[in-house]
Amino acid sequence: MLGSVTRSAVLLLVLAFGLAACSGDDGSTNLSADPTSATTRATTTTSTTPPVPLVFSCPELPIGLGDSNLPATGNTGYDVAAYDLAFDFDIPALVSEPPFLEASATLSATATEPLTAFSLDLLGMDVESVTVDGTPVEWCRRDRELIVGPPFALNTGDGFSVRVDYSGNPTDAEGLFDEFTGVQRAPTGLFVVLEPDGAASLFPSNDHPRDPASFRVAVTAPSDLEVISVGRLVAETSDGDRTTTVWESTEPVATYLLPLAIGDFEIVELESNVDMTVYLYEGSDGIGDFVQQPAILEFFESLFGPYPNDRLGGIVVDVEASIALETQGIPTYSRDLSYEDVIAHEIAHQWFGNYIRLEDWSDIWLKEGLASFAQLLWAEHNYGLERYTRQINGLYGFLVEDPEAHPPGVPERDEMYTGSVYWRGAFTMVALRDLVGDEPVMDLLRAWIDTYGGGTATSADFLAMVDDRLGAEAFEMASAWLYDETIPPLEARGLEPVLGG
Ligand code: ARG
Ligand code: ZN
Protein backbone atom coordinates (compact mmCIF):
# COMPACT_ATOMS: atom_id res chain seq x y z
CA MET A 1 0.00 0.00 0.00
CA LEU A 2 1.25 3.41 -0.88
CA GLY A 3 0.97 5.90 1.94
CA SER A 4 0.12 9.51 1.17
CA VAL A 5 3.62 10.58 2.16
CA THR A 6 5.16 8.27 -0.41
CA ARG A 7 2.62 9.31 -3.00
CA SER A 8 3.43 12.99 -2.61
CA ALA A 9 7.13 12.19 -2.64
CA VAL A 10 6.62 10.48 -5.98
CA LEU A 11 4.63 13.43 -7.25
CA LEU A 12 7.38 15.76 -6.16
CA LEU A 13 9.89 13.68 -8.03
CA VAL A 14 7.82 13.77 -11.19
CA LEU A 15 7.35 17.50 -10.83
CA ALA A 16 11.05 18.00 -10.23
CA PHE A 17 11.59 16.09 -13.42
CA GLY A 18 9.42 18.37 -15.43
CA LEU A 19 11.47 21.30 -14.13
CA ALA A 20 14.83 19.62 -14.56
CA ALA A 21 13.74 19.12 -18.16
CA CYS A 22 16.79 18.05 -20.07
CA SER A 23 19.40 17.06 -17.54
CA GLY A 24 19.46 14.04 -15.29
CA ASP A 25 19.74 14.86 -11.62
CA ASP A 26 23.21 13.38 -11.67
CA GLY A 27 24.18 16.28 -13.90
CA SER A 28 24.61 14.11 -16.97
CA THR A 29 24.03 15.78 -20.31
CA ASN A 30 20.83 15.00 -22.09
CA LEU A 31 22.05 13.20 -25.15
CA SER A 32 18.58 12.79 -26.56
CA ALA A 33 18.79 16.40 -27.77
CA ASP A 34 22.38 16.09 -28.90
CA PRO A 35 22.59 16.03 -32.72
CA THR A 36 26.08 14.48 -32.68
CA SER A 37 24.77 11.33 -31.09
CA ALA A 38 22.18 11.09 -33.86
CA THR A 39 24.98 11.20 -36.40
CA THR A 40 26.97 8.59 -34.56
CA ARG A 41 24.01 6.26 -34.43
CA ALA A 42 23.12 6.87 -38.05
CA THR A 43 26.55 5.85 -39.28
CA THR A 44 26.53 2.62 -37.31
CA THR A 45 23.07 1.47 -38.27
CA THR A 46 22.05 -0.23 -41.49
CA SER A 47 18.71 1.60 -41.61
CA THR A 48 18.39 4.14 -44.41
CA THR A 49 16.41 6.67 -42.37
CA PRO A 50 18.52 8.06 -39.54
CA PRO A 51 16.80 7.47 -36.21
CA VAL A 52 15.13 10.49 -34.68
CA PRO A 53 16.45 11.38 -31.25
CA LEU A 54 13.79 11.08 -28.59
CA VAL A 55 12.64 13.68 -26.14
CA PHE A 56 11.91 12.12 -22.77
CA SER A 57 8.88 13.20 -20.79
CA CYS A 58 8.48 10.42 -18.21
CA PRO A 59 5.65 8.64 -20.02
CA GLU A 60 2.88 6.72 -18.28
CA LEU A 61 3.67 3.14 -19.24
CA PRO A 62 1.61 0.10 -18.18
CA ILE A 63 2.53 -0.55 -14.54
CA GLY A 64 3.01 -4.29 -14.98
CA LEU A 65 2.53 -7.16 -17.39
CA GLY A 66 -0.97 -8.10 -16.36
CA ASP A 67 -0.43 -10.57 -13.53
CA SER A 68 -3.76 -11.23 -11.81
CA ASN A 69 -2.41 -11.08 -8.26
CA LEU A 70 0.65 -8.87 -8.62
CA PRO A 71 -0.43 -6.41 -11.31
CA ALA A 72 2.50 -4.05 -10.73
CA THR A 73 5.27 -6.63 -11.12
CA GLY A 74 7.10 -7.22 -14.37
CA ASN A 75 6.98 -5.13 -17.49
CA THR A 76 6.03 -5.49 -21.10
CA GLY A 77 7.97 -4.53 -24.21
CA TYR A 78 11.25 -6.35 -23.72
CA ASP A 79 12.77 -9.61 -22.68
CA VAL A 80 15.81 -9.80 -20.41
CA ALA A 81 18.45 -12.37 -21.38
CA ALA A 82 21.05 -11.60 -18.72
CA TYR A 83 21.58 -9.69 -15.48
CA ASP A 84 25.09 -8.59 -14.62
CA LEU A 85 24.96 -7.37 -11.02
CA ALA A 86 27.72 -5.80 -8.97
CA PHE A 87 26.89 -5.40 -5.28
CA ASP A 88 29.16 -3.66 -2.81
CA PHE A 89 27.83 -4.20 0.70
CA ASP A 90 28.65 -2.35 3.85
CA ILE A 91 27.36 -4.50 6.71
CA PRO A 92 27.36 -2.88 10.16
CA ALA A 93 28.37 -5.15 13.04
CA LEU A 94 25.17 -4.28 14.86
CA VAL A 95 22.45 -6.61 13.60
CA SER A 96 19.80 -3.95 14.11
CA GLU A 97 21.52 -1.72 11.55
CA PRO A 98 20.66 -2.03 7.87
CA PRO A 99 23.27 -3.00 5.30
CA PHE A 100 24.20 -0.30 2.82
CA LEU A 101 24.45 -1.27 -0.83
CA GLU A 102 26.27 0.41 -3.67
CA ALA A 103 25.42 -1.34 -6.88
CA SER A 104 25.34 -1.42 -10.59
CA ALA A 105 23.03 -3.61 -12.63
CA THR A 106 23.41 -4.22 -16.33
CA LEU A 107 20.54 -5.90 -18.13
CA SER A 108 20.95 -7.33 -21.62
CA ALA A 109 17.56 -7.31 -23.25
CA THR A 110 15.68 -7.51 -26.52
CA ALA A 111 12.77 -5.28 -27.45
CA THR A 112 9.62 -7.32 -28.10
CA GLU A 113 7.75 -4.32 -29.50
CA PRO A 114 8.75 -0.86 -30.74
CA LEU A 115 9.84 1.12 -27.68
CA THR A 116 10.40 4.80 -27.06
CA ALA A 117 10.61 4.18 -23.30
CA PHE A 118 10.52 1.15 -21.01
CA SER A 119 10.16 0.37 -17.31
CA LEU A 120 12.22 -1.64 -14.89
CA ASP A 121 10.95 -2.65 -11.46
CA LEU A 122 12.87 -0.97 -8.66
CA LEU A 123 11.66 -0.29 -5.15
CA GLY A 124 13.44 2.17 -2.89
CA MET A 125 17.15 2.84 -3.52
CA ASP A 126 18.61 6.03 -4.98
CA VAL A 127 19.34 5.92 -8.66
CA GLU A 128 22.52 7.71 -9.65
CA SER A 129 22.65 7.15 -13.37
CA VAL A 130 21.21 5.11 -16.20
CA THR A 131 22.85 4.31 -19.52
CA VAL A 132 21.49 2.54 -22.59
CA ASP A 133 24.18 0.91 -24.72
CA GLY A 134 26.70 3.02 -22.85
CA THR A 135 24.98 6.34 -23.47
CA PRO A 136 23.73 8.27 -20.43
CA VAL A 137 19.96 8.59 -20.70
CA GLU A 138 17.11 10.20 -18.86
CA TRP A 139 14.92 8.36 -16.46
CA CYS A 140 12.25 8.99 -13.85
CA ARG A 141 10.52 6.98 -11.15
CA ARG A 142 6.88 6.21 -10.42
CA ASP A 143 6.01 3.85 -7.58
CA ARG A 144 7.97 0.68 -8.31
CA GLU A 145 8.81 1.65 -11.88
CA LEU A 146 12.10 3.06 -13.06
CA ILE A 147 11.15 4.52 -16.43
CA VAL A 148 14.00 4.80 -18.89
CA GLY A 149 14.16 6.85 -22.08
CA PRO A 150 16.54 5.31 -24.60
CA PRO A 151 18.22 7.91 -26.86
CA PHE A 152 16.53 6.38 -29.92
CA ALA A 153 13.41 4.35 -30.53
CA LEU A 154 14.04 0.62 -30.32
CA ASN A 155 12.48 -1.68 -32.88
CA THR A 156 11.10 -5.13 -32.21
CA GLY A 157 14.05 -7.49 -32.04
CA ASP A 158 16.62 -4.82 -31.20
CA GLY A 159 19.05 -5.89 -28.55
CA PHE A 160 20.09 -3.31 -25.98
CA SER A 161 21.81 -3.12 -22.65
CA VAL A 162 20.73 -0.88 -19.82
CA ARG A 163 22.94 -0.13 -16.87
CA VAL A 164 21.69 1.38 -13.63
CA ASP A 165 23.99 2.67 -10.90
CA TYR A 166 22.23 3.00 -7.56
CA SER A 167 22.65 2.78 -3.82
CA GLY A 168 20.70 2.59 -0.59
CA ASN A 169 19.48 0.34 2.21
CA PRO A 170 17.69 -2.56 0.53
CA THR A 171 16.22 -3.72 3.85
CA ASP A 172 14.25 -0.48 4.04
CA ALA A 173 12.16 -1.07 0.91
CA GLU A 174 8.49 -0.35 1.46
CA GLY A 175 5.59 -1.86 -0.37
CA LEU A 176 6.84 -5.42 -0.64
CA PHE A 177 4.43 -8.35 -0.62
CA ASP A 178 4.72 -9.20 3.08
CA GLU A 179 7.13 -8.99 6.02
CA PHE A 180 8.98 -12.10 4.85
CA THR A 181 9.84 -10.60 1.49
CA GLY A 182 13.04 -8.75 0.66
CA VAL A 183 16.61 -8.41 1.83
CA GLN A 184 16.93 -9.39 5.49
CA ARG A 185 19.65 -8.99 8.03
CA ALA A 186 21.11 -11.98 9.85
CA PRO A 187 23.51 -11.83 12.82
CA THR A 188 26.70 -11.59 10.78
CA GLY A 189 25.34 -10.65 7.40
CA LEU A 190 22.22 -10.83 5.30
CA PHE A 191 20.09 -13.09 3.14
CA VAL A 192 17.26 -12.62 0.69
CA VAL A 193 13.71 -13.88 0.24
CA LEU A 194 12.73 -12.37 -3.07
CA GLU A 195 9.50 -14.30 -3.64
CA PRO A 196 7.20 -13.02 -4.91
CA ASP A 197 8.08 -9.38 -5.61
CA GLY A 198 11.28 -8.68 -3.67
CA ALA A 199 13.87 -8.74 -6.46
CA ALA A 200 12.89 -5.16 -7.25
CA SER A 201 14.17 -4.12 -3.81
CA LEU A 202 17.63 -5.44 -4.65
CA PHE A 203 18.11 -4.77 -8.35
CA PRO A 204 16.27 -3.13 -11.24
CA SER A 205 14.58 -5.99 -13.02
CA ASN A 206 11.73 -7.37 -15.00
CA ASP A 207 10.49 -8.88 -11.78
CA HIS A 208 8.19 -11.66 -12.93
CA PRO A 209 8.69 -15.42 -13.49
CA ARG A 210 7.63 -14.95 -17.13
CA ASP A 211 11.04 -13.39 -17.78
CA PRO A 212 13.83 -15.56 -16.36
CA ALA A 213 17.42 -14.77 -17.33
CA SER A 214 21.01 -15.78 -16.77
CA PHE A 215 22.81 -14.09 -13.89
CA ARG A 216 26.28 -12.93 -13.03
CA VAL A 217 26.52 -11.62 -9.49
CA ALA A 218 29.70 -10.00 -8.19
CA VAL A 219 29.48 -9.25 -4.48
CA THR A 220 32.04 -7.20 -2.59
CA ALA A 221 31.88 -7.74 1.16
CA PRO A 222 34.19 -8.03 4.18
CA SER A 223 36.74 -10.76 3.49
CA ASP A 224 35.91 -12.75 6.63
CA LEU A 225 32.36 -13.37 5.44
CA GLU A 226 31.16 -16.04 3.04
CA VAL A 227 29.23 -14.86 -0.03
CA ILE A 228 26.81 -17.34 -1.60
CA SER A 229 24.81 -16.73 -4.72
CA VAL A 230 23.59 -18.26 -7.94
CA GLY A 231 25.11 -21.03 -10.07
CA ARG A 232 28.87 -21.53 -9.97
CA LEU A 233 31.58 -19.68 -8.15
CA VAL A 234 33.70 -18.21 -10.94
CA ALA A 235 36.06 -15.77 -9.26
CA GLU A 236 37.22 -14.48 -5.92
CA THR A 237 39.52 -11.49 -5.66
CA SER A 238 40.64 -9.87 -2.47
CA ASP A 239 42.31 -6.62 -1.58
CA GLY A 240 42.77 -7.71 2.01
CA ASP A 241 39.81 -6.34 3.90
CA ARG A 242 37.31 -6.73 1.12
CA THR A 243 36.71 -9.63 -1.21
CA THR A 244 34.73 -9.71 -4.43
CA THR A 245 33.05 -13.03 -5.04
CA VAL A 246 31.56 -13.74 -8.44
CA TRP A 247 28.80 -16.28 -9.05
CA GLU A 248 27.35 -17.10 -12.41
CA SER A 249 24.46 -19.08 -13.82
CA THR A 250 24.00 -19.62 -17.52
CA GLU A 251 20.73 -21.44 -16.82
CA PRO A 252 17.70 -19.13 -16.78
CA VAL A 253 16.62 -18.11 -13.29
CA ALA A 254 13.42 -16.27 -12.38
CA THR A 255 14.19 -13.05 -10.52
CA TYR A 256 12.52 -14.19 -7.27
CA LEU A 257 14.73 -17.30 -7.22
CA LEU A 258 18.06 -15.51 -7.00
CA PRO A 259 19.97 -16.86 -4.01
CA LEU A 260 22.10 -14.43 -2.02
CA ALA A 261 23.50 -14.77 1.47
CA ILE A 262 26.45 -13.16 3.20
CA GLY A 263 27.71 -14.20 6.61
CA ASP A 264 29.67 -16.64 8.74
CA PHE A 265 28.98 -20.11 7.41
CA GLU A 266 30.36 -23.58 7.86
CA ILE A 267 30.65 -25.37 4.57
CA VAL A 268 29.69 -29.02 4.24
CA GLU A 269 29.97 -30.97 1.00
CA LEU A 270 27.68 -33.93 0.63
CA GLU A 271 28.40 -36.86 -1.65
CA SER A 272 26.11 -36.83 -4.67
CA ASN A 273 26.07 -36.73 -8.47
CA VAL A 274 25.62 -32.93 -8.34
CA ASP A 275 27.45 -30.29 -6.31
CA MET A 276 25.85 -30.50 -2.86
CA THR A 277 27.52 -27.76 -0.90
CA VAL A 278 25.51 -26.85 2.18
CA TYR A 279 26.21 -23.62 4.04
CA LEU A 280 25.30 -23.84 7.71
CA TYR A 281 25.32 -20.76 9.89
CA GLU A 282 28.29 -20.68 12.25
CA GLY A 283 27.37 -22.36 15.54
CA SER A 284 24.62 -24.55 14.08
CA ASP A 285 24.06 -28.13 15.25
CA GLY A 286 25.66 -29.43 12.09
CA ILE A 287 24.33 -31.03 8.95
CA GLY A 288 21.10 -32.30 10.53
CA ASP A 289 18.45 -33.47 8.07
CA PHE A 290 20.53 -32.36 5.10
CA VAL A 291 22.17 -35.79 5.25
CA GLN A 292 18.97 -36.92 3.51
CA GLN A 293 19.54 -34.68 0.50
CA PRO A 294 21.31 -37.24 -1.72
CA ALA A 295 18.54 -39.78 -1.06
CA ILE A 296 15.77 -37.20 -1.61
CA LEU A 297 17.34 -36.13 -4.88
CA GLU A 298 17.71 -39.73 -6.04
CA PHE A 299 14.08 -40.48 -5.15
CA PHE A 300 12.71 -37.40 -6.91
CA GLU A 301 14.82 -38.13 -9.98
CA SER A 302 13.31 -41.61 -10.07
CA LEU A 303 9.84 -40.02 -10.07
CA PHE A 304 10.28 -36.80 -12.03
CA GLY A 305 13.25 -37.47 -14.31
CA PRO A 306 16.65 -35.75 -14.40
CA TYR A 307 17.26 -32.98 -11.87
CA PRO A 308 17.11 -29.76 -13.91
CA ASN A 309 20.16 -28.12 -12.33
CA ASP A 310 23.85 -28.76 -11.77
CA ARG A 311 23.82 -27.94 -8.10
CA LEU A 312 21.68 -28.78 -5.09
CA GLY A 313 22.99 -27.00 -2.07
CA GLY A 314 21.40 -25.38 0.91
CA ILE A 315 21.80 -22.20 2.92
CA VAL A 316 20.73 -22.18 6.55
CA VAL A 317 20.70 -18.73 8.09
CA ASP A 318 20.85 -17.90 11.76
CA VAL A 319 17.39 -16.42 12.10
CA GLU A 320 14.08 -17.75 13.33
CA ALA A 321 11.81 -16.42 10.67
CA SER A 322 9.76 -19.50 9.71
CA ILE A 323 10.71 -19.04 6.11
CA ALA A 324 12.23 -21.24 3.46
CA LEU A 325 12.58 -20.50 -0.21
CA GLU A 326 13.51 -22.66 -3.17
CA THR A 327 16.28 -20.30 -4.40
CA GLN A 328 17.58 -21.90 -7.56
CA GLY A 329 19.96 -24.78 -7.03
CA ILE A 330 20.49 -23.82 -3.40
CA PRO A 331 17.36 -23.33 -1.29
CA THR A 332 17.46 -20.91 1.63
CA TYR A 333 16.20 -21.87 5.09
CA SER A 334 15.75 -20.00 8.32
CA ARG A 335 17.11 -22.25 11.06
CA ASP A 336 13.64 -23.08 12.42
CA LEU A 337 12.51 -24.35 9.02
CA SER A 338 15.46 -26.51 7.98
CA TYR A 339 14.13 -29.99 8.66
CA GLU A 340 13.45 -32.95 6.39
CA ASP A 341 9.89 -32.21 5.19
CA VAL A 342 10.84 -28.67 4.25
CA ILE A 343 14.07 -29.77 2.58
CA ALA A 344 12.12 -32.26 0.45
CA HIS A 345 9.62 -29.51 -0.38
CA GLU A 346 12.29 -27.05 -1.53
CA ILE A 347 14.06 -29.73 -3.57
CA ALA A 348 10.78 -30.60 -5.33
CA HIS A 349 10.37 -26.93 -6.22
CA GLN A 350 13.48 -27.20 -8.39
CA TRP A 351 11.13 -28.99 -10.82
CA PHE A 352 7.83 -27.43 -9.75
CA GLY A 353 8.20 -23.68 -9.92
CA ASN A 354 11.84 -23.29 -10.90
CA TYR A 355 11.91 -25.46 -14.02
CA ILE A 356 8.20 -25.14 -14.84
CA ARG A 357 7.62 -21.51 -14.02
CA LEU A 358 4.38 -19.74 -13.15
CA GLU A 359 2.75 -17.80 -15.94
CA ASP A 360 0.68 -15.97 -13.35
CA TRP A 361 1.03 -15.74 -9.57
CA SER A 362 -2.62 -16.73 -9.11
CA ASP A 363 -1.60 -20.23 -10.31
CA ILE A 364 0.76 -20.56 -7.35
CA TRP A 365 -0.77 -23.89 -6.24
CA LEU A 366 1.01 -25.35 -9.30
CA LYS A 367 4.27 -24.94 -7.49
CA GLU A 368 3.24 -25.00 -3.82
CA GLY A 369 0.66 -27.80 -4.15
CA LEU A 370 2.90 -30.00 -6.28
CA ALA A 371 5.97 -29.43 -4.06
CA SER A 372 3.83 -30.27 -1.01
CA PHE A 373 2.58 -33.44 -2.70
CA ALA A 374 6.18 -34.40 -3.49
CA GLN A 375 7.04 -33.82 0.17
CA LEU A 376 4.33 -36.34 1.16
CA LEU A 377 5.70 -38.83 -1.36
CA TRP A 378 9.15 -38.54 0.18
CA ALA A 379 7.71 -39.12 3.65
CA GLU A 380 5.97 -42.24 2.36
CA HIS A 381 9.13 -43.43 0.63
CA ASN A 382 11.33 -42.87 3.64
CA TYR A 383 8.99 -43.85 6.47
CA GLY A 384 6.33 -46.02 4.84
CA LEU A 385 2.77 -45.71 3.59
CA GLU A 386 1.49 -45.33 7.12
CA ARG A 387 3.29 -41.99 7.39
CA TYR A 388 1.69 -40.76 4.15
CA THR A 389 -1.75 -41.79 5.44
CA ARG A 390 -1.21 -40.21 8.83
CA GLN A 391 -0.08 -36.91 7.32
CA ILE A 392 -3.07 -36.83 4.98
CA ASN A 393 -5.50 -37.49 7.82
CA GLY A 394 -3.98 -34.76 9.92
CA LEU A 395 -3.84 -32.23 7.12
CA TYR A 396 -7.40 -33.00 6.01
CA GLY A 397 -8.62 -32.26 9.52
CA PHE A 398 -6.65 -29.02 9.51
CA LEU A 399 -8.15 -27.98 6.17
CA VAL A 400 -11.71 -28.78 7.24
CA GLU A 401 -11.35 -26.61 10.29
CA ASP A 402 -9.34 -23.87 8.62
CA PRO A 403 -11.17 -20.60 9.31
CA GLU A 404 -9.52 -19.02 6.28
CA ALA A 405 -10.45 -21.86 3.94
CA HIS A 406 -10.68 -20.98 0.28
CA PRO A 407 -10.34 -22.92 -2.96
CA PRO A 408 -6.62 -23.15 -3.82
CA GLY A 409 -6.94 -22.78 -7.60
CA VAL A 410 -7.62 -19.04 -7.66
CA PRO A 411 -6.20 -17.46 -4.51
CA GLU A 412 -6.54 -13.75 -3.98
CA ARG A 413 -3.31 -11.86 -3.46
CA ASP A 414 -3.46 -12.35 0.32
CA GLU A 415 -4.23 -16.05 0.01
CA MET A 416 -1.16 -17.02 -1.97
CA TYR A 417 0.70 -18.72 0.89
CA THR A 418 -2.17 -20.31 2.80
CA GLY A 419 -2.61 -23.88 3.99
CA SER A 420 -5.20 -24.30 1.27
CA VAL A 421 -2.79 -23.43 -1.56
CA TYR A 422 -0.19 -25.80 -0.14
CA TRP A 423 -2.31 -28.67 1.14
CA ARG A 424 -5.61 -28.58 -0.68
CA GLY A 425 -3.37 -28.03 -3.69
CA ALA A 426 -1.40 -31.17 -2.77
CA PHE A 427 -4.62 -33.12 -2.12
CA THR A 428 -5.59 -32.52 -5.74
CA MET A 429 -2.82 -35.00 -6.49
CA VAL A 430 -3.63 -37.24 -3.51
CA ALA A 431 -7.22 -37.51 -4.79
CA LEU A 432 -6.09 -38.25 -8.34
CA ARG A 433 -3.71 -40.88 -7.05
CA ASP A 434 -6.54 -42.48 -5.03
CA LEU A 435 -8.69 -42.48 -8.18
CA VAL A 436 -6.32 -43.74 -10.88
CA GLY A 437 -3.38 -45.28 -9.03
CA ASP A 438 0.34 -44.69 -8.88
CA GLU A 439 1.50 -45.18 -12.41
CA PRO A 440 -0.92 -42.89 -14.25
CA VAL A 441 -0.37 -40.13 -11.69
CA MET A 442 3.41 -40.36 -11.90
CA ASP A 443 3.20 -40.49 -15.69
CA LEU A 444 1.10 -37.34 -15.55
CA LEU A 445 3.72 -35.52 -13.50
CA ARG A 446 6.47 -36.66 -15.81
CA ALA A 447 4.51 -35.53 -18.87
CA TRP A 448 3.88 -32.22 -17.10
CA ILE A 449 7.61 -31.73 -16.64
CA ASP A 450 8.50 -32.92 -20.16
CA THR A 451 5.91 -30.66 -21.74
CA TYR A 452 6.32 -27.46 -19.76
CA GLY A 453 9.82 -27.70 -18.28
CA GLY A 454 11.92 -24.71 -19.23
CA GLY A 455 8.84 -22.56 -19.78
CA THR A 456 5.74 -21.34 -18.00
CA ALA A 457 2.43 -23.11 -17.43
CA THR A 458 -1.05 -22.40 -16.08
CA SER A 459 -3.70 -24.28 -14.12
CA ALA A 460 -5.68 -24.57 -17.36
CA ASP A 461 -2.68 -26.33 -18.95
CA PHE A 462 -2.61 -28.71 -16.01
CA LEU A 463 -6.31 -29.50 -16.10
CA ALA A 464 -6.18 -30.03 -19.86
CA MET A 465 -3.44 -32.57 -19.31
CA VAL A 466 -5.43 -34.29 -16.55
CA ASP A 467 -8.43 -34.47 -18.88
CA ASP A 468 -6.34 -35.76 -21.73
CA ARG A 469 -4.37 -38.37 -19.84
CA LEU A 470 -6.60 -39.40 -16.96
CA GLY A 471 -10.08 -38.77 -18.37
CA ALA A 472 -13.22 -36.82 -17.58
CA GLU A 473 -13.79 -38.13 -14.06
CA ALA A 474 -10.27 -37.17 -13.05
CA PHE A 475 -10.73 -33.75 -14.63
CA GLU A 476 -13.96 -33.18 -12.65
CA MET A 477 -12.28 -34.31 -9.48
CA ALA A 478 -9.21 -32.09 -9.91
CA SER A 479 -11.44 -29.13 -10.79
CA ALA A 480 -13.45 -29.64 -7.61
CA TRP A 481 -10.26 -29.77 -5.53
CA LEU A 482 -9.04 -26.57 -7.09
CA TYR A 483 -12.20 -24.52 -7.40
CA ASP A 484 -15.09 -25.77 -5.25
CA GLU A 485 -15.98 -23.57 -2.30
CA THR A 486 -15.94 -26.49 0.15
CA ILE A 487 -13.22 -29.07 0.38
CA PRO A 488 -14.16 -32.30 -1.45
CA PRO A 489 -14.17 -35.65 0.37
CA LEU A 490 -11.34 -38.16 0.05
CA GLU A 491 -13.83 -40.99 -0.23
CA ALA A 492 -11.34 -43.83 -0.45
CA ARG A 493 -9.98 -42.66 2.91
CA GLY A 494 -13.32 -42.02 4.57
CA LEU A 495 -12.48 -38.32 4.89
CA GLU A 496 -15.35 -35.88 4.52
CA PRO A 497 -15.73 -32.16 5.11
CA VAL A 498 -18.31 -32.53 7.90
CA LEU A 499 -16.62 -34.32 10.73
CA GLY A 500 -18.58 -37.46 11.52
CA GLY A 501 -21.11 -36.50 8.80
N1 ARG B 1 8.00 -20.62 -1.91
C1 ARG B 1 8.32 -20.64 -0.52
C2 ARG B 1 8.11 -22.06 -0.06
O1 ARG B 1 7.06 -22.60 -0.14
C3 ARG B 1 7.52 -19.67 0.29
C4 ARG B 1 7.82 -18.23 0.02
C5 ARG B 1 6.99 -17.32 0.84
N2 ARG B 1 7.33 -15.98 0.59
C6 ARG B 1 6.72 -14.95 1.20
N3 ARG B 1 7.13 -13.74 0.90
N4 ARG B 1 5.75 -15.13 2.05
O2 ARG B 1 8.98 -22.73 0.32
ZN1 ZN C 1 6.91 -24.04 -1.45
Side-chain angles (χ1 to χ4, degrees), residues 177-182 193-197 256 323-326 342 345-346 349 364 367-368 371 417 422:
F177 182 82
D178 62 12
E179 77 269 28
F180 297 107
T181 315
V193 174
L194 303 183
E195 179 179 354
D197 65 356
Y256 77 92
I323 190 86
L325 173 61
E326 61 268 25
V342 183
H345 178 101
E346 306 310 332
H349 269 309
I364 188 166
K367 74 180 188 77
E368 297 307 344
Y417 299 98
Y422 281 62

Side-chain angles (χ1 to χ4, degrees), residues 228-231 247 259 266-270 272-280 287 289-294 296-297 307 309-316 325-333 338 342-344 346-348 350 354:
I228 307 138
S229 191
V230 70
W247 291 89
E266 252 171 73
I267 302 175
V268 180
E269 313 243 355
L270 294 166
S272 176
N273 55 346
V274 296
D275 172 1
M276 246 191 215
T277 309
V278 178
Y279 296 82
L280 304 166
I287 194 71
D289 288 355
F290 287 93
V291 287
Q292 302 276 11
Q293 272 212 163
I296 298 171
L297 177 62
Y307 178 65
N309 224 299
D310 54 11
R311 173 201 202 189
L312 176 56
I315 305 170
V316 187
L325 173 61
E326 61 268 25
T327 37
Q328 192 141 320
I330 182 158
T332 306
Y333 307 84
S338 59
V342 183
I343 294 169
E346 306 310 332
I347 295 174
Q350 304 305 312
N354 297 18

Side-chain angles (χ1 to χ4, degrees), residues 461-485:
D461 294 330
F462 188 83
L463 285 171
M465 194 173 264
V466 169
D467 197 12
D468 192 43
R469 301 184 71 96
L470 306 182
E473 194 186 344
F475 172 84
E476 292 304 329
M477 181 180 262
S479 305
W481 275 95
L482 293 175
Y483 302 118
D484 278 7
E485 221 30 70

Side-chain angles (χ1 to χ4, degrees), residues 14 17-18 55-61 117 139-142 147:
V14 173
F17 238 96
V55 177
F56 182 71
S57 57
C58 195
E60 301 248 6
L61 300 175
W139 49 271
C140 63
R141 301 187 71 176
R142 281 205 181 112
I147 304 166

